[in-house]
Short mmCIF file of all heavy atoms in Angstrom, two decimals:
data_model
loop_
_atom_site.label_atom_id
_atom_site.label_comp_id
_atom_site.label_asym_id
_atom_site.label_seq_id
_atom_site.Cartn_x
_atom_site.Cartn_y
_atom_site.Cartn_z
N ASP A 176 -126.20 -33.46 124.41
CA ASP A 176 -125.98 -32.68 123.20
C ASP A 176 -125.56 -31.25 123.56
O ASP A 176 -125.53 -30.86 124.73
CB ASP A 176 -127.20 -32.74 122.29
CG ASP A 176 -128.42 -31.97 122.79
OD1 ASP A 176 -128.28 -31.17 123.74
OD2 ASP A 176 -129.51 -32.16 122.21
N PRO A 177 -125.21 -30.43 122.56
CA PRO A 177 -124.71 -29.08 122.85
C PRO A 177 -125.73 -28.17 123.54
O PRO A 177 -125.34 -27.15 124.11
CB PRO A 177 -124.35 -28.54 121.45
CG PRO A 177 -124.06 -29.75 120.64
CD PRO A 177 -125.03 -30.78 121.13
N ALA A 178 -127.02 -28.52 123.51
CA ALA A 178 -128.05 -27.72 124.17
C ALA A 178 -128.40 -28.26 125.56
O ALA A 178 -129.35 -27.78 126.18
CB ALA A 178 -129.30 -27.64 123.29
N GLY A 179 -127.66 -29.26 126.04
CA GLY A 179 -127.88 -29.77 127.38
C GLY A 179 -128.97 -30.82 127.49
O GLY A 179 -129.44 -31.12 128.58
N ARG A 180 -129.35 -31.42 126.37
CA ARG A 180 -130.31 -32.54 126.39
C ARG A 180 -129.52 -33.84 126.53
O ARG A 180 -128.47 -34.01 125.93
CB ARG A 180 -131.12 -32.57 125.10
CG ARG A 180 -131.79 -31.25 124.71
CD ARG A 180 -132.46 -31.40 123.34
NE ARG A 180 -133.02 -30.15 122.84
CZ ARG A 180 -132.41 -29.34 121.97
NH1 ARG A 180 -131.20 -29.66 121.51
NH2 ARG A 180 -132.99 -28.24 121.56
N PHE A 181 -130.04 -34.79 127.30
CA PHE A 181 -129.37 -36.06 127.55
C PHE A 181 -130.02 -37.12 126.67
O PHE A 181 -131.24 -37.36 126.77
CB PHE A 181 -129.49 -36.42 129.02
CG PHE A 181 -128.68 -37.63 129.46
CD1 PHE A 181 -127.50 -37.97 128.85
CD2 PHE A 181 -129.11 -38.40 130.53
CE1 PHE A 181 -126.75 -39.06 129.27
CE2 PHE A 181 -128.38 -39.49 130.97
CZ PHE A 181 -127.20 -39.82 130.34
N TRP A 182 -129.24 -37.75 125.81
CA TRP A 182 -129.71 -38.79 124.90
C TRP A 182 -129.19 -40.14 125.39
O TRP A 182 -128.02 -40.28 125.73
CB TRP A 182 -129.19 -38.56 123.50
CG TRP A 182 -129.62 -37.29 122.82
CD1 TRP A 182 -129.37 -36.00 123.25
CD2 TRP A 182 -130.34 -37.17 121.61
NE1 TRP A 182 -129.89 -35.10 122.37
CE2 TRP A 182 -130.49 -35.79 121.35
CE3 TRP A 182 -130.86 -38.10 120.71
CZ2 TRP A 182 -131.15 -35.31 120.20
CZ3 TRP A 182 -131.51 -37.62 119.57
CH2 TRP A 182 -131.66 -36.25 119.33
N ALA A 183 -130.06 -41.15 125.40
CA ALA A 183 -129.64 -42.51 125.74
C ALA A 183 -130.61 -43.49 125.09
O ALA A 183 -131.81 -43.19 124.95
CB ALA A 183 -129.60 -42.72 127.25
N GLY A 184 -130.10 -44.64 124.74
CA GLY A 184 -130.92 -45.64 124.08
C GLY A 184 -131.14 -46.87 124.93
O GLY A 184 -130.47 -47.06 125.95
N THR A 185 -132.07 -47.69 124.51
CA THR A 185 -132.37 -48.93 125.21
C THR A 185 -131.97 -50.14 124.40
O THR A 185 -131.72 -50.06 123.19
CB THR A 185 -133.87 -49.02 125.56
OG1 THR A 185 -134.64 -48.92 124.35
CG2 THR A 185 -134.29 -47.91 126.51
N MET A 186 -131.92 -51.27 125.09
CA MET A 186 -131.61 -52.56 124.46
C MET A 186 -132.24 -53.65 125.29
O MET A 186 -132.55 -53.47 126.47
CB MET A 186 -130.10 -52.77 124.36
CG MET A 186 -129.40 -52.77 125.70
SD MET A 186 -127.64 -53.18 125.61
CE MET A 186 -127.72 -54.97 125.37
N ALA A 187 -132.45 -54.81 124.68
CA ALA A 187 -132.99 -55.96 125.40
C ALA A 187 -131.88 -56.58 126.25
O ALA A 187 -130.73 -56.67 125.83
CB ALA A 187 -133.54 -56.98 124.43
N LEU A 188 -132.26 -57.03 127.44
CA LEU A 188 -131.29 -57.71 128.31
C LEU A 188 -130.72 -58.95 127.64
O LEU A 188 -129.56 -59.31 127.85
CB LEU A 188 -131.95 -58.08 129.64
CG LEU A 188 -132.26 -56.91 130.57
CD1 LEU A 188 -133.19 -57.35 131.69
CD2 LEU A 188 -130.97 -56.32 131.14
N ASP A 189 -131.53 -59.62 126.80
CA ASP A 189 -131.04 -60.79 126.08
C ASP A 189 -130.46 -60.43 124.72
O ASP A 189 -130.15 -61.31 123.92
CB ASP A 189 -132.15 -61.83 125.93
CG ASP A 189 -133.34 -61.34 125.10
OD1 ASP A 189 -133.28 -60.20 124.56
OD2 ASP A 189 -134.33 -62.09 124.97
N GLU A 190 -130.32 -59.11 124.45
CA GLU A 190 -129.72 -58.57 123.22
C GLU A 190 -130.51 -58.94 121.97
O GLU A 190 -129.96 -58.97 120.86
CB GLU A 190 -128.25 -58.97 123.11
CG GLU A 190 -127.42 -58.49 124.28
CD GLU A 190 -125.94 -58.79 124.17
OE1 GLU A 190 -125.51 -59.31 123.12
OE2 GLU A 190 -125.22 -58.52 125.15
N LYS A 191 -131.81 -59.18 122.13
CA LYS A 191 -132.67 -59.43 120.97
C LYS A 191 -132.64 -58.24 120.03
O LYS A 191 -132.66 -57.08 120.45
CB LYS A 191 -134.10 -59.70 121.46
CG LYS A 191 -135.13 -59.97 120.36
CD LYS A 191 -136.48 -60.29 120.97
CE LYS A 191 -137.04 -59.13 121.75
NZ LYS A 191 -138.41 -59.40 122.28
N GLY A 192 -132.64 -58.50 118.73
CA GLY A 192 -132.53 -57.44 117.75
C GLY A 192 -133.75 -56.54 117.67
O GLY A 192 -134.89 -56.99 117.87
N ALA A 193 -133.50 -55.27 117.37
CA ALA A 193 -134.54 -54.27 117.09
C ALA A 193 -135.54 -54.09 118.23
O ALA A 193 -136.67 -53.67 118.01
CB ALA A 193 -135.27 -54.61 115.79
N ALA A 194 -135.11 -54.37 119.47
CA ALA A 194 -136.01 -54.26 120.62
C ALA A 194 -135.90 -52.92 121.34
O ALA A 194 -136.70 -52.63 122.23
CB ALA A 194 -135.74 -55.38 121.61
N GLY A 195 -134.92 -52.11 120.95
CA GLY A 195 -134.66 -50.87 121.67
C GLY A 195 -135.01 -49.63 120.88
O GLY A 195 -135.40 -49.69 119.71
N SER A 196 -134.85 -48.49 121.54
CA SER A 196 -135.12 -47.19 120.94
C SER A 196 -134.11 -46.18 121.48
O SER A 196 -133.41 -46.43 122.46
CB SER A 196 -136.54 -46.72 121.25
OG SER A 196 -137.51 -47.60 120.71
N LEU A 197 -134.07 -45.02 120.84
CA LEU A 197 -133.23 -43.92 121.27
C LEU A 197 -134.12 -42.80 121.81
O LEU A 197 -135.08 -42.41 121.15
CB LEU A 197 -132.39 -43.41 120.10
CG LEU A 197 -131.48 -42.20 120.39
CD1 LEU A 197 -130.41 -42.56 121.42
CD2 LEU A 197 -130.83 -41.71 119.09
N TYR A 198 -133.79 -42.31 123.01
CA TYR A 198 -134.61 -41.30 123.68
C TYR A 198 -133.79 -40.04 123.96
O TYR A 198 -132.57 -40.08 124.11
CB TYR A 198 -135.14 -41.86 125.00
CG TYR A 198 -136.11 -43.00 124.82
CD1 TYR A 198 -135.65 -44.32 124.79
CD2 TYR A 198 -137.47 -42.76 124.63
CE1 TYR A 198 -136.53 -45.37 124.60
CE2 TYR A 198 -138.35 -43.81 124.44
CZ TYR A 198 -137.88 -45.12 124.43
OH TYR A 198 -138.75 -46.16 124.22
N ARG A 199 -134.54 -38.93 124.09
CA ARG A 199 -133.94 -37.64 124.41
C ARG A 199 -134.64 -37.06 125.63
O ARG A 199 -135.87 -36.89 125.62
CB ARG A 199 -134.08 -36.69 123.22
CG ARG A 199 -133.31 -35.38 123.34
CD ARG A 199 -133.73 -34.40 122.25
NE ARG A 199 -135.03 -33.81 122.56
CZ ARG A 199 -135.88 -33.35 121.63
NH1 ARG A 199 -135.60 -33.46 120.34
NH2 ARG A 199 -137.03 -32.81 122.01
N LEU A 200 -133.85 -36.75 126.66
CA LEU A 200 -134.37 -36.09 127.86
C LEU A 200 -134.03 -34.61 127.78
O LEU A 200 -132.86 -34.23 127.80
CB LEU A 200 -133.74 -36.70 129.12
CG LEU A 200 -134.05 -36.00 130.44
CD1 LEU A 200 -135.52 -36.17 130.84
CD2 LEU A 200 -133.12 -36.50 131.55
N ASP A 201 -135.04 -33.76 127.69
CA ASP A 201 -134.83 -32.32 127.63
C ASP A 201 -134.58 -31.76 129.03
O ASP A 201 -134.93 -32.38 130.04
CB ASP A 201 -136.04 -31.64 126.99
CG ASP A 201 -136.14 -31.91 125.49
OD1 ASP A 201 -135.29 -32.65 124.96
OD2 ASP A 201 -137.08 -31.38 124.86
N PRO A 202 -133.99 -30.57 129.14
CA PRO A 202 -133.72 -29.99 130.46
C PRO A 202 -134.96 -29.79 131.33
O PRO A 202 -134.85 -29.72 132.55
CB PRO A 202 -133.06 -28.65 130.11
CG PRO A 202 -132.38 -28.90 128.81
CD PRO A 202 -133.33 -29.80 128.06
N ASP A 203 -136.15 -29.72 130.71
CA ASP A 203 -137.38 -29.56 131.50
C ASP A 203 -137.97 -30.89 131.94
O ASP A 203 -139.04 -30.93 132.56
CB ASP A 203 -138.42 -28.75 130.72
CG ASP A 203 -138.87 -29.44 129.43
OD1 ASP A 203 -138.45 -30.59 129.17
OD2 ASP A 203 -139.65 -28.82 128.67
N GLY A 204 -137.28 -32.00 131.65
CA GLY A 204 -137.72 -33.31 132.09
C GLY A 204 -138.59 -34.07 131.11
O GLY A 204 -138.96 -35.21 131.36
N ARG A 205 -138.89 -33.45 129.97
CA ARG A 205 -139.70 -34.15 128.97
C ARG A 205 -138.83 -35.16 128.21
O ARG A 205 -137.67 -34.91 127.93
CB ARG A 205 -140.32 -33.15 127.98
CG ARG A 205 -141.45 -32.32 128.56
CD ARG A 205 -142.04 -31.42 127.50
NE ARG A 205 -141.04 -30.47 127.00
CZ ARG A 205 -141.27 -29.63 125.98
NH1 ARG A 205 -142.42 -29.64 125.34
NH2 ARG A 205 -140.33 -28.79 125.60
#
């Protein structure tokens, strides 16, 4: 994002529905 946070989401290897989430990694590692 514009503040340098890295966003990435997850998914099931078998592509099962609603198994993933969206995460945000802040510059301090949180």
Side-chain angles (χ1 to χ4, degrees):
D176 71 13
R180 309 175 185 97
F181 188 30
W182 298 61
T185 57
M186 60 174 284
L188 289 167
D189 63 4
E190 301 183 5
K191 179 177 63 177
S196 298
L197 178 64
Y198 294 91
R199 189 191 76 207
L200 173 69
D201 289 1
D203 63 5
R205 288 183 298 174

